[in-house]
Amino acid sequence: MSTNYSLRLSGALPVPITADESVYSLALRKLRGAIVQNPIRIFCALLFFSAATLAQTAKFTVGTASAGPGEKVNGFIEVPAGTDAGTRIPVTVIRGKKPGPVLALVSGAHGTEYTSIIALEHVIQHLEPGEISGTVVVVPLVNLESFHQKVPHVNPVDRKSMNRFYPGKLDGTQTERAAYLITKEVVEKCDYLIDLHGGDLDESLRPYSYWSKTGDAKMDATTKAMVLAFGLDHIIVVTDRPRDPIASRYLESTASTRGKPAITAEAGYSGTVETDDVNALVAGCANVMRYLKILPGEAKPIDSPVWLTKVDTIPSDVDGIFYPLVKRGTYVEAGTKVGYVTDYFGKTISEKSAPVAGVVLYVCGVPSMKKGELMANIGEVGKPE
Ligand SMILES: [Zn+2]
């Protein structure tokens, strides 16, 4: 029986063939016919196909970690020595075989916010290239010296917070050089970013995330969906983060001012690594991956979180010994005493109350108290506009 098949490339005329041709000669003949009929369109299609194939097979590189499709590769972002010592920030690139967005997960800017670091260690160990579409870049420990020396808040090398000097500069101190390289290697190469934090060694903090509104409706809709997918039940709405990409200060605003939707989430406190807190951060990252279609399955956003539209800080006005009167997560009325400070002989020299009703997001977790440092933070419940 003689059968005629035809190859229908758009705009090409059918090329009649006979059934006894081999598959290859069949394909070649079809292609030849199509090229003769419409060379420019075919050329463009081939070009597009080659570019797409190249993009899919080319290595994705962050620092010394270079991963092809289906690979999980570890490496370092090498921060060269400058006015002070160099450092190397660990990074893992997990690359799916299927195409998809690039999500960056970062923690340990404050190297003793252990829960966030352990959560990303878990992601590095358990997220496999075979299960994702796209790429996940994990930077679990930005501030190595803080971690090793057990120094909270700052990088002990230059005494700077590693989440306040973005986008950084190459001729600055270690923190600034690290910020510059994270901006180049991580922020500029990703499509979305999550920055993880938590209560530091001296901070008794309840879990919450930040939704930073930028005024860009599309960006804000995406970050709202991300923060709801992350799933922490208390969300602080921030409207005053920097909008200038060259003065972005925070990692999250470094991403958002460069057009990359980003959120920040915090869990863990006072040097502890509680299973529930670690799980909350890991599950949050995984659910954002579902929202971004990096992981299969349906993202289940949290239904009705508590939105916190203002955060009131309660600083101490004296040096001394701090005694808390509330716990993290406690809901207080305006006037509820949150803590007091004594001199070194036990005499109360200062007592502070909540200025408004709200939830204790954080209360100082140690007796050390210096004038100007925070006794507690109170989050005011509100509705996001
Ligand atoms: Zn932090």
Side-chain angles (χ1 to χ4, degrees), residues 108-111 113 116 161 163-164 195-200 203 266:
H110 305 123
E113 294 173 358
S116 57
S161 166
N163 195 29
R164 291 295 183 281
D195 189 19
L196 297 181
H197 289 259
D200 215 324
E203 297 173 335
E266 311 217 14

Side-chain angles (χ1 to χ4, degrees), residues 1-9 12-23 25-27 29-31 33:
M1 195 172 82
S2 151
T3 313
N4 280 351
Y5 299 94
S6 63
L7 174 70
R8 284 208 176 271
L9 282 173
L13 291 175
V15 183
I17 55 165
T18 54
D20 57 354
E21 280 177 300
S22 76
V23 173
S25 63
L26 173 70
R29 195 167 159 211
K30 285 173 177 175
L31 192 61

Side-chain angles (χ1 to χ4, degrees), residues 19-101:
D20 57 354
E21 280 177 300
S22 76
V23 173
Y24 279 115
S25 63
L26 173 70
L28 274 174
R29 195 167 159 211
K30 285 173 177 175
L31 192 61
R32 216 178 300 131
I35 289 171
V36 169
Q37 293 297 329
N38 203 336
I40 293 172
R41 192 168 293 182
I42 294 298
F43 179 73
C44 290
L46 285 173
L47 202 66
F48 177 78
F49 178 73
S50 314
T53 307
L54 262 179
Q56 187 51 24
T57 53
K59 297 272 187 186
F60 187 95
T61 302
V62 178
T64 64
S66 209
E71 291 179 343
K72 173 154 69 172
V73 179
N74 301 324
F76 291 91
I77 297 168
E78 303 280 358
V79 181
T83 52
D84 47 21
T87 185
R88 49 196 336 227
I89 299 167
V91 59
T92 299
V93 178
I94 306 166
R95 180 102 185 272
K97 277 189 179 153
K98 289 171 276 183

Side-chain angles (χ1 to χ4, degrees), residues 162-308:
M162 293 195 85
N163 195 29
R164 291 295 183 281
F165 289 87
Y166 284 96
K169 51 184 180 179
L170 258 188
D171 60 353
T173 61
Q174 190 190 88
T175 291
E176 293 164 317
R177 297 196 305 280
Y180 176 85
L181 289 166
I182 290 171
T183 301
K184 291 284 163 208
E185 289 294 304
V186 180
V187 175
E188 290 183 2
K189 292 179 180 178
C190 77
D191 301 311
Y192 303 90
L193 183 142
I194 302 175
D195 189 19
L196 297 181
H197 289 259
D200 215 324
L201 283 180
D202 56 345
E203 297 173 335
S204 184
L205 178 145
R206 73 118 38 240
Y208 54 82
S209 49
Y210 288 96
W211 177 40
S212 299
K213 293 178 72 176
T214 62
D216 172 341
K218 189 162 175 258
M219 164 86 71
D220 292 348
T222 303
T223 50
K224 186 177 186 183
M226 285 170 72
V227 86
L228 290 173
F230 199 93
L232 296 183
D233 61 2
H234 283 56
I235 301 173
I236 300 176
V237 185
V238 184
T239 53
D240 59 354
R241 284 283 159 90
R243 308 243 168 126
D244 181 356
I246 61 166
S248 52
R249 294 190 78 213
Y250 306 89
L251 178 59
E252 182 200 282
S253 25
T254 305
S256 64
T257 54
R258 283 160 181 75
K260 325 293 177 90
I263 61 168
T264 302
E266 311 217 14
Y269 62 98
S270 303
T272 58
V273 183
E274 301 276 358
T275 306
D276 286 354
D277 290 330
V278 174
N279 286 349
L281 295 183
V282 173
C285 291
N287 213 34
V288 172
M289 287 183 220
R290 285 185 202 100
Y291 165 70
L292 298 173
K293 306 288 180 214
I294 291 172
L295 275 177
E298 193 190 339
K300 293 192 179 72
I302 187 159
D303 255 349
S304 42
V306 177
W307 296 98
L308 303 164

